[in-house]
Amino acid sequence: MRVVSRLWLVFGLVFACLIVSMSSAVQAQTVTPDDTARVLAGMAPSAGSPLSALTQDPAWRRHAAFFDNAFDQLEQRQLSKIRSWADTNLATPQQAMFYFFSGPDFLYADAFHPKAATYVMAALEPTGPIPDLTRLPRGTVGPALAYVERSLQSILSFSFFITKNMKVDLHEGEINGTLPILYVFLARTGKTIRSADLIWLDASGVVHAANEPATRNATTGARIVFAGADGVEKTLYYFSTDLSDSGVKASGFLKFCEPFAPGNSLLKSASYLLHENSFSQVRSWLLKNSATIVQDDSGIPLASYDTRAWRFFPFGRYAGPIDKFPNMYQNSYARLFARAQPLDFGIGYRWRTRESNVLLSVRAPSADTTVSAEATGPAETSYQPARARRQPRPPESIPMYPPPPRRDDFIFWPRW
């Protein structure tokens, strides 16, 4: 009996070790969203990842070298300067950060607002499926990575996505949608993705999993939980939705956003859509629910701000809109920027440093959020030829904080 008992004991130990070994093998074969993000970003995945084999492909190695160089340059000439600017000028971080008309641009959301706990981004660009590199057909690694590079070309060069190009790029190839680009930006900004799933919103703004039957007019999107170097978990929401008045009326997007308010908002290269009457609901919502708004002149027109509720910090130079957007010149913007502080990075459609403008609008502590967001009247849209523009001192009706010490360290951002 003792011999039999010992044999059963030995058998039990061997069986337990086998189970542990099999479990470890299964775990080692699991492809995590973070490994996927790192491979798409040209970075090595975790040890033992099934995606490690892809990094031996010459196409991936060329891709990695390209991204190493591109993001190194972007960090030096752009992102490091934005973070420094944000550290100096955005003294009161909020838990939430709103970035409408963003496309998949987490890169600048993180640079301006690295301390946010929740990022809410929204644009027309489709979310696409959860990226799965294990399903790439043989020989398609190179074309798939080329899609990622092509999709990021404009934002790496000029700080914004070109919408008409995105309409084509985000529907092509084995990897498509905004999720692969969000993955790349998360990996390249030092984030670790903990989970990623597809979601949708009902008309009340309630989040549902993608596998639940969607209602009519559901707003589709994705939720990514990630952590930075400090290990603190944060959440990124991206929604593919129409932000026009008719679009937000039919969706639950703004209702979803309400519990996160007040937040800090970012508007960049927004096609001057918020100057139009057909985007009045989103414009009013942002003015009511933002503690600060960082924007270039393509964001909310200055005439839509209630000057009793906001204070303004202008930075850079207002050179007017580019030719693609005629009739969007703002006289009040020009007057405000006559006393602007220097800006050492380029941003927006006028991406060269000497032509860029950033307006930091800060809600006054005592401001009543029930005051009409359109109290100061319609936007100014009379474009003037360059030689006719004047920049007189801003009137007293445009309140400004005392300007910080001036710096003369403009840096030209070359195209590369």
Side-chain angles (χ1 to χ4, degrees):
M1 291 294 294
R2 290 181 179 178
V3 173
V4 173
S5 297
R6 289 177 179 176
L7 287 174
W8 277 107
L9 179 60
V10 171
F11 176 76
L13 291 173
V14 171
F15 182 74
C17 291
L18 180 62
I19 292 297
V20 172
S21 177
M22 291 176 63
S23 176
S24 298
V26 170
Q27 185 176 7
Q29 292 300 311
T30 300
V31 177
T32 66
D34 191 64
D35 283 341
T36 301
R38 292 182 66 85
V39 171
L40 287 172
M43 303 166 69
S46 61
S49 170
L51 298 182
S52 296
L54 294 179
T55 65
Q56 305 305 310
D57 191 301
W60 184 87
R61 293 183 177 182
R62 289 193 296 270
H63 172 75
F66 170 77
F67 268 2
D68 283 346
N69 180 62
F71 280 94
D72 282 349
Q73 291 191 46
L74 188 64
E75 172 66 22
Q76 293 174 24
R77 72 166 185 264
Q78 186 82 346
L79 299 182
S80 61
K81 294 179 174 63
I82 291 176
R83 285 194 295 269
S84 177
W85 181 91
D87 285 343
T88 301
N89 297 288
L90 301 177
T92 309
Q94 301 292 321
Q95 288 294 302
M97 185 267 179
F98 302 117
Y99 188 4
F100 297 174
F101 311 97
S102 62
D105 180 22
F106 176 76
L107 197 65
Y108 285 86
D110 178 67
F112 278 104
H113 295 289
K115 297 179 182 178
T118 303
Y119 296 83
V120 182
M121 299 169 57
L124 284 175
E125 287 79 12
T127 306
I130 298 292
D132 186 355
L133 300 183
T134 64
R135 295 186 177 183
L136 286 179
R138 185 183 298 274
T140 63
V141 174
L145 297 176
Y147 150 79
V148 176
E149 294 176 12
R150 184 172 65 251
S151 300
L152 298 183
Q153 183 177 5
S154 65
I155 196 167
L156 293 176
S157 298
F158 311 119
S159 88
F160 58 89
F161 288 105
I162 299 176
T163 303
K164 68 176 183 179
N165 292 353
M166 295 289 284
K167 289 180 180 179
V168 176
D169 294 342
L170 296 183
H171 289 88
E172 290 187 348
E174 297 292 335
I175 301 174
N176 56 74
T178 57
L179 272 177
I181 301 174
L182 290 169
Y183 273 25
V184 169
F185 287 159
L186 284 160
R188 282 287 174 174
T189 53
K191 311 299 188 290
T192 299
I193 298 178
R194 300 284 176 81
S195 65
D197 57 315
L198 299 178
I199 57 176
W200 60 271
L201 302 176
D202 62 25
S204 299
V206 177
V207 177
H208 298 265
N211 58 8
E212 297 181 39
T215 58
R216 184 181 179 184
N217 297 325
T219 300
T220 58
R223 174 176 51 201
I224 302 174
V225 178
F226 66 93
D230 57 5
V232 177
E233 283 196 349
K234 301 184 177 187
T235 305
L236 164 63
Y237 292 97
Y238 174 85
F239 293 102
S240 175
T241 187
D242 179 0
L243 293 172
S244 69
D245 288 352
S246 59
V248 296
K249 182 180 180 180
S251 76
F253 173 68
L254 291 182
K255 292 180 180 178
F256 166 82
C257 293
E258 285 174 0
F260 296 108
N264 291 322
S265 296
L266 174 64
L267 295 165
K268 176 175 68 65
S269 306
S271 299
Y272 297 89
L273 294 175
L274 291 169
H275 290 229
E276 299 180 10
N277 292 332
S278 56
F279 286 84
S280 63
Q281 290 189 35
V282 166
R283 182 173 65 236
S284 295
W285 192 94
L286 287 170
L287 288 168
K288 180 180 178 181
N289 293 282
S290 299
T292 66
I293 300 175
V294 174
Q295 66 169 63
D296 60 21
D297 63 291
S298 72
I300 296 173
L302 192 61
S304 291
Y305 284 89
D306 180 355
T307 55
R308 296 169 295 174
W310 294 89
R311 298 294 180 267
F312 303 108
F313 289 98
F315 295 84
R317 176 194 172 205
Y318 177 56
I322 60 174
D323 292 341
K324 184 177 178 61
F325 301 101
N327 304 320
M328 292 298 173
Y329 187 83
Q330 300 178 72
N331 291 312
S332 57
Y333 227 79
R335 292 193 295 270
L336 178 62
F337 273 77
R339 291 176 53 192
Q341 299 305 304
L343 189 68
D344 66 350
F345 57 86
I347 197 167
Y349 296 125
R350 291 197 176 274
W351 48 269
R352 294 179 175 86
T353 302
R354 295 181 185 273
E355 298 180 5
S356 292
N357 69 82
V358 168
L359 176 61
L360 168 60
S361 302
V362 181
R363 178 176 289 280
S366 60
D368 181 0
T369 58
T370 63
V371 173
S372 171
E374 307 295 333
T376 55
E380 299 178 39
T381 57
S382 57
Y383 186 83
Q384 300 180 18
R387 63 178 179 275
R389 298 175 195 160
R390 297 180 182 275
Q391 296 186 345
R393 292 176 61 86
E396 294 301 322
S397 61
I398 302 179
M400 298 173 59
Y401 283 119
R406 297 190 64 87
R407 292 178 297 142
D408 297 319
D409 55 349
F410 286 111
I411 299 177
F412 179 69
W413 175 11
R415 178 177 179 180
W416 57 275

